[in-house]
Amino acid sequence: MSTSAVSDVNPSNTRVGWIGTGVMGRSMCGHILKAGYTVTVFNRTLSKAQPLLDIGAKLADSPAAVAAQSDVVFTIVGYPSDVRHVLLDSVAGALSGLRPGGVLVDMTTSEPSLAVEIFDAAKAKNCHSIDAPVSGGDRGAKNGALAIFAGGEESVVSRLGPIFSLMGKVNYMGSPGKGQFAKLGNQITIATTMVGLVEGMVYAHKSGLDVELFLNAISTGAAGSKSLELYGSRILKRDFAAGFYVNHFVKDLGICLKECQSMGLALPGLALAQQLYLSLKAHGEGDLGTQALILALERLNNVTLPTL
């Protein structure tokens, strides 16, 4: 796919690569496969890629091998160090295998400075790079209803619209790195909202209210939120399966705090939320979902909410 051809992205002329087939990536990539695109995948743990192989994806043995068979390569992995390795490693990285005119799209929540570095490295090879982290959790990924925050060349983001639309709604945020900045702002908003949600639930329980009735009552008022919608009933059912891992949220909030320090910005709510989530990790609960924040508040107050 040449740069000029990107404007007509469709399954007949655009080969897609996908690196990272975890909780989010597997569903996101599945939508692209079901739309008829030829997709080549790589994941360190083969079993996590198997559902995609079962519906027609091809398997590559390295990120570079994925890129060699692709026009657009999407990545959604765990940490900035993983992003750097799968994209920029001189031997195995996707950029080393990408043809001129190819596009890298990193959907991992990562560091804005790394997004700029990847953009510059891609440009030096006559390729393109977009930072496009997402929000919406496992349900948003399964339903193709994610919010996508894109940074980089607006023309390239626009040309990739047919693929982005399979996963959700793309929002162009500005120059390279701005997608990451937007996602970090999103995480700051979610973090403090989650603290408010679980504090409200503990308060309702301690005051003798039926917590389920309480959540139903506030959901249609000003306290209603996406966090309540997605996680309220899961918390009451003690369903802490990860739609988004505590470990990854701690990583995200750490990046937020680092950026705040660089900006000279004081966000005490963010710092408190990060400490509460870090306490979950210290208790060995890093592989639970972010709704497990209730456990930290229960421990602080020596209470346990009743299970539905």
Side-chain angles (χ1 to χ4, degrees):
M1 180 184 69
S2 67
T3 303
S4 59
V6 186
S7 58
D8 187 26
V9 166
N10 63 64
S12 68
N13 69 7
T14 304
R15 301 166 302 160
V16 174
W18 196 279
I19 299 168
T21 58
V23 172
M24 300 286 290
R26 187 162 56 245
S27 294
M28 295 160 71
C29 182
H31 295 309
I32 297 171
L33 265 169
K34 291 170 185 174
Y37 286 87
T38 298
V39 180
T40 304
V41 301
F42 170 80
N43 197 71
R44 287 178 300 185
T45 307
L46 178 59
S47 61
K48 292 183 178 180
Q50 193 60 50
L52 295 171
L53 301 180
D54 292 342
I55 60 172
K58 298 186 293 183
L59 182 68
D61 61 6
S62 71
V66 169
Q69 301 172 60
S70 305
D71 301 303
V72 183
V73 178
F74 291 86
T75 52
I76 182 163
V77 292
Y79 298 88
S81 58
D82 299 319
V83 174
R84 180 179 295 280
H85 178 73
V86 300
L87 291 182
L88 297 181
D89 184 86
S90 60
V91 176
L95 185 56
S96 69
L98 196 64
R99 292 180 178 86
V103 185
L104 302 176
V105 182
D106 182 33
M107 307 190 87
T108 314
T109 302
S110 184
E111 297 167 348
S113 60
L114 179 56
V116 173
E117 183 181 343
I118 295 166
F119 176 88
D120 289 341
K123 187 176 181 179
K125 283 199 63 177
N126 295 313
C127 296
H128 307 274
S129 178
I130 301 297
D131 50 290
V134 300
S135 180
D138 58 332
R139 290 187 186 178
K142 289 174 184 174
N143 296 331
L146 294 168
I148 304 167
F149 311 104
E153 296 169 271
E154 187 172 9
S155 60
V156 177
V157 174
S158 178
R159 290 165 187 167
L160 294 176
I163 300 179
F164 282 133
S165 68
L166 298 171
M167 297 179 278
K169 181 181 185 296
V170 66
N171 305 274
Y172 179 68
M173 306 308 299
S175 59
K178 290 297 190 287
Q180 294 295 351
F181 277 120
K183 175 59 188 292
L184 295 175
N186 178 85
Q187 299 302 74
I188 292 168
T189 306
I190 289 174
T192 48
T193 302
M194 285 297 294
V195 172
L197 172 61
V198 297
E199 285 190 345
M201 292 176 74
V202 170
Y203 173 85
H205 168 65
K206 193 72 172 178
S207 66
L209 290 170
D210 180 307
V211 182
E212 183 182 19
L213 289 177
F214 167 73
L215 291 182
N216 289 337
I218 69 170
S219 66
T220 56
S225 69
K226 200 71 174 177
S227 294
L228 192 162
E229 177 188 333
L230 290 174
Y231 299 121
S233 64
R234 292 195 199 188
I235 292 170
L236 289 176
K237 293 173 183 175
R238 313 300 283 185
D239 174 7
F240 300 132
F244 192 76
Y245 290 106
V246 166
N247 278 335
H248 290 167
F249 204 43
V250 169
K251 175 263 296 184
D252 292 356
L253 299 184
I255 296 173
C256 291
L257 288 169
K258 179 181 175 183
E259 294 298 331
C260 286
Q261 185 170 346
S262 298
M263 297 174 187
L265 191 60
L267 298 182
L270 164 63
L272 172 61
Q274 191 264 356
Q275 289 291 290
L276 290 170
Y277 274 105
L278 197 58
S279 77
L280 294 178
K281 188 172 179 178
H283 278 85
E285 294 157 348
D287 287 332
L288 300 181
T290 50
Q291 69 273 27
L293 183 62
I294 190 69
L295 299 174
L297 270 292
E298 288 177 335
R299 278 191 286 261
L300 276 173
N301 293 285
N302 193 28
V303 299
T304 301
L305 270 62
T307 304
L308 280 184

